[in-house]
Amino acid sequence: MEYQNRQPEEGINTPGRHPLAEFIRLSIAALVALLLLGLLLNLAGGHLAGLIPYRAELWVTEKIDRMLVEAGEPSPFTIAESDTPLIEYLNTLGDKVEAALEMQSPMTIQLHYSDEDVVNAFATLGGHVYLYKGLLKQLPHENALTMLLAHEYSHVQMRHALRGVGGGLAVAFGAAVLPGGSGVNGRLYSLTSSLSSLNFSREMETDADKNGLKAVNAIYGHTAGADDLFELFMAQRDSAGAGALDGFFSTHPLDKDRIEALGRVSGEHGWFSEGATTPLPDAFLQWLDAAD
Ligand SMILES: [Zn+2]
């Protein structure tokens, strides 16, 4: 038997494709896999977070609040002690909304008013709901304000903030265990957490609209005027251009779609969509200017 030192055939280690094309193909595949993994983690994290008892959510926000206050930092979770006529009025209306939505203890809302001239309102962890002067001053009547409150309260009731944060944390965890620089992970985390804690998915927005409309109907006996809130956004968008609008609008479904959806929900439940709207208190605009 004779052994030979045979040369391997030419080209067995190189695919027939151009190396750059191969690199791009693999990069795209890796990106798609990462995105899918991220989506999956986001869903799973959001679902798991939704199972956390509300008391635990409260405990965490109180803890964060204490830490921020001790560090001398502004905290979104500090309970605003205010007895201005505006806050009293908002809380009275808010109590009606809580009752109409059948929100139960320990789930309660902490309303915050900011006199910043931005067209925004949002709900965050622990039942903290923020209302801005820039939006409140444009409301045409109380029914639209009730719809706004009911929409934000619905985010709290449906645990949207916590589910968003849970999804973001799961993605951050996934990013942390993958090889890569911590700077990238840090940036990814702040991106996902800021995206998910305050900007809800379109599905969440639609759910909050539908749930909120129930409160408007329960309080006034009809749903008329609820859609004026979205007419206001539409007018605002037209006059200011999309870039000038703040957080409330960025992931919200298109105003027209929302108005149509509200009409459908009213019809499905057999609610009256016509009726007289209730005016805001005469001093409402003065209150907005006076309160801090
Ligand atoms: Zn919303």
Side-chain angles (χ1 to χ4, degrees):
M1 186 144 196
E2 195 182 332
Y3 291 99
Q4 299 180 343
N5 190 8
R6 234 189 309 145
Q7 293 297 312
E9 284 171 46
E10 286 293 324
I12 60 163
N13 282 322
T14 48
R17 285 177 286 261
H18 191 277
L20 187 62
E22 184 71 359
F23 174 73
I24 292 173
R25 194 181 68 87
L26 288 172
S27 302
I28 290 175
L31 262 180
V32 169
L34 269 179
L35 274 177
L36 282 176
L37 182 69
L39 274 176
L40 199 71
L41 283 170
N42 195 6
L43 267 177
H47 181 73
L48 280 177
L51 302 176
I52 294 173
Y54 193 75
R55 267 182 215 285
E57 182 181 331
L58 276 182
W59 182 81
V60 169
T61 53
E62 281 162 16
K63 196 127 186 128
I64 296 173
D65 180 50
R66 238 172 293 140
M67 277 164 51
L68 288 173
V69 169
E70 274 166 23
E73 300 280 335
S75 162
F77 305 127
T78 299
I79 293 174
E81 296 289 352
S82 179
D83 53 0
T84 61
L86 176 71
I87 296 294
E88 271 177 30
Y89 166 67
L90 290 173
N91 277 328
T92 306
L93 195 59
D95 287 346
K96 288 189 208 169
V97 172
E98 281 191 50
L101 293 178
E102 296 170 34
M103 292 175 73
Q104 295 192 346
S105 171
M107 196 178 273
T108 50
I109 301 291
Q110 300 294 336
L111 271 181
H112 302 257
Y113 171 69
S114 164
D115 67 352
E116 278 180 68
D117 204 11
V118 292
V119 186
N120 197 13
F122 65 87
T124 184
L125 290 171
H128 293 269
V129 169
Y130 279 78
L131 304 169
Y132 287 81
K133 178 175 166 181
L135 175 54
L136 294 190
K137 73 177 184 190
Q138 295 194 55
L139 293 171
H141 41 64
E142 193 189 83
N143 305 57
L145 173 59
T146 301
M147 182 64 207
L148 175 65
L149 291 176
H151 173 92
E152 299 303 338
Y153 286 26
S154 295
H155 279 312
V156 174
Q157 188 174 32
M158 296 167 153
R159 316 293 303 277
H160 286 168
L162 187 73
R163 280 166 51 193
V165 171
L169 279 176
V171 172
F173 178 75
V177 296
L178 283 173
S182 60
V184 174
N185 291 340
R187 244 176 291 141
L188 182 68
Y189 171 64
S190 66
L191 178 75
T192 48
S193 66
S194 63
L195 276 179
S196 46
S197 59
L198 293 182
N199 293 315
F200 304 130
S201 69
R202 280 181 67 132
E203 192 192 355
M204 288 176 177
E205 295 305 339
T206 307
D207 288 347
D209 283 350
K210 286 184 188 167
N211 196 60
L213 193 64
K214 185 172 73 181
V216 175
N217 181 64
I219 292 169
Y220 301 104
H222 61 76
T223 58
D227 53 358
D228 285 339
L229 179 65
F230 306 109
E231 298 279 1
L232 184 160
F233 295 153
M234 201 148 58
Q236 184 79 16
R237 205 189 300 272
D238 286 347
S239 70
L245 295 177
D246 302 290
F248 194 83
F249 309 94
S250 48
T251 57
H252 280 61
L254 291 173
D255 312 315
K256 266 213 174 82
D257 295 349
R258 300 178 82 171
I259 292 170
E260 282 168 18
L262 288 185
R264 268 200 309 278
V265 173
S266 255
E268 281 163 17
H269 288 87
W271 296 335
F272 294 114
S273 56
E274 307 277 323
T277 53
T278 304
L280 287 160
D282 289 337
F284 188 66
L285 288 178
Q286 286 159 266
W287 290 348
L288 292 182
D289 286 328
D292 58 291

